[in-house]
Amino acid sequence: MAAYRKDFVVVLGLAASPLIALGYSRFAYALLLPAMRAELGWSFATAGLMNTVNAVGYLVGALGTAWLAARVGQRAAFVGALVVTVAGLAVTAATSSLPVLLTARAVLGAAGAVAFVVGGAITSTICRRHTAHQSAVLIGTYFAGGGVGIVASGFAVPAVLDRFGPPGWHWGWIALAALAALGTAAAAWAAAIAPTTAPERGPRRTWPGGLGRLAAGYLLFGAGYIGYMTFIVALVTQVGFTPRAVTMFWVLLGIAGAVSGWVWAGLLRTAVGGSAAAVLFVLLAVAVGIPALTAATPALYFSGALFGLCMLSLVSAVTAAGRDAVRPEDTTAAIALLTTVFAAGQVVGPWFTGVLADRTGGLQLGLGISAVLLLIGAGFCKWQPARVPGA
């Protein structure tokens, strides 16, 4: 039990990776998007393009993660990527140039992918030392970091904008960079004492087999969820949410994400193949579909809470299914493969949703299509088998 408690503390430190790579680097953009659109004169398509290039960077980072970790080691890749992320957030705060902002978003995507994948691989290595229930709690704790990041940004960014107004969006990014620097220190400490794999020079499996159905579902997850996370703050602002209500909505979503690992620990513990992921896909589709059908305030709050409760745990479920579908030595490559297809799905989602919004005058149609994609993804994951022992 003492070993489990120690590993739990280590995973808490590692959880600063999704906190930074997802909560600050990716998702907090939704909070700053309305102010940036107002100050910089962007269309919805341009606003969506910012997250599309972020997803392209994420795709490039995911493709190179297994190679980088094999060359320099997991620890160096993990900490280095987080340092680059802090620098990218600082650059975003320092310019109004669209080309520079797009470049910074791409770099943030690449660095975030490396930190996220390697942190997940280290956590998965730790999980193999514990029981199924303990492993579910540990991996849920790691991914819950993203929810904590959403909560922290939900308090920090609106407070900055409330003080400085829309022109203060630069200060919002500065606040995120400062918070990310603190998180990087915690993650570096955890990585220093966590079990990692040494750099490898010999042959290795870059694309492990047996993940086809899970990967197809994860591709649709990337395409289906990102439109919601990019534009939901813009949508609730359009329908009349006050700044205080927006903060409450975002923090509720983040709190739900932060506790989701414990809520779904039992589901993850008893899952076979991609069965847990399939359940969460369906629930996430409901959450994304609600704003496409109604602007009622209680329904939108319910949508945010359900989305937060499912989004990060779905990542946990897919990661666990991918880990269980391959040999232990292929864990990093498997997570990198899944993250690659996840990133590929995110490339089109924000831009496509933004284009539809510009043409239809609202975000509802894009969110409805996203919900359908998530339902199809549930079917793929439902039929993902677990690895046969010894295979």
Side-chain angles (χ1 to χ4, degrees), residues 38-386:
E39 289 300 303
L40 301 176
W42 288 351
S43 66
F44 275 118
T46 300
L49 183 63
M50 285 283 285
N51 257 8
T52 288
V53 298
N54 182 260
V56 171
Y58 202 83
L59 175 59
V60 172
L63 285 169
T65 295
W67 175 87
L68 180 63
R71 291 303 186 277
V72 305
Q74 290 179 323
R75 188 173 291 114
F78 178 70
V79 177
L82 289 174
V83 171
V84 171
T85 300
V86 174
L89 290 169
V91 169
T92 305
T95 182
S96 297
S97 167
L98 180 60
V100 177
L101 286 170
L102 290 172
T103 301
R105 288 298 287 169
V107 171
L108 284 169
V114 174
F116 185 71
V117 171
V118 177
I122 297 172
T123 301
S124 293
T125 299
I126 294 173
C127 288
R128 293 184 185 276
R129 310 196 297 204
H130 300 286
T131 66
H133 175 72
Q134 290 171 337
S135 295
V137 172
L138 289 173
I139 201 166
T141 299
Y142 174 75
F143 289 111
V148 176
I150 293 172
V151 172
S153 65
F155 283 115
V157 173
V160 170
L161 293 177
D162 184 58
R163 179 173 181 179
F164 296 103
W169 64 264
H170 297 279
W171 288 105
W173 287 111
I174 290 173
L176 292 171
L179 291 172
L182 293 175
T184 296
W189 166 82
I193 60 176
T196 60
T197 58
E200 299 175 2
R201 305 292 179 179
R204 56 188 168 81
R205 296 179 67 186
T206 304
W207 302 108
L211 296 171
R213 296 168 186 171
L214 192 66
Y218 213 32
L219 175 74
L220 294 175
F221 172 52
Y225 99 99
I226 191 62
Y228 186 100
M229 282 304 290
T230 300
F231 291 112
I232 190 60
V233 171
L235 185 146
V236 297
T237 301
Q238 280 187 338
V239 300
F241 273 36
T242 64
R244 181 179 178 85
V246 170
T247 297
M248 291 176 59
F249 174 89
W250 193 255
V251 170
L252 176 64
L253 189 157
I255 291 174
V259 303
S260 63
W262 290 278
V263 171
W264 303 114
L267 176 66
L268 294 176
R269 183 180 68 248
T270 59
V272 177
S275 60
V279 172
L280 294 172
F281 258 99
V282 172
L283 294 175
L284 195 69
V286 172
V288 172
I290 287 173
L293 300 175
T294 179
T297 298
L300 291 176
Y301 275 114
F302 177 76
S303 167
L306 183 60
F307 186 93
L309 201 61
C310 297
M311 175 190 63
L312 295 173
S313 284
L314 200 154
V315 177
S316 300
V318 171
T319 300
R323 177 199 65 204
D324 293 341
V326 300
R327 302 174 302 172
E329 59 267 30
D330 290 327
T331 299
T332 299
I335 296 176
L337 168 61
L338 291 170
T339 304
T340 297
V341 298
F342 173 59
Q346 293 179 100
V347 168
V348 177
W351 174 81
F352 181 69
T353 303
V355 168
L356 288 179
D358 287 332
R359 293 186 176 181
T360 64
L363 295 157
Q364 288 79 5
L365 178 59
L367 293 177
I369 293 173
S370 295
V372 172
L373 293 177
L374 291 168
L375 289 175
I376 297 171
F380 279 114
C381 288
K382 175 65 176 177
W383 300 108
Q384 169 64 41

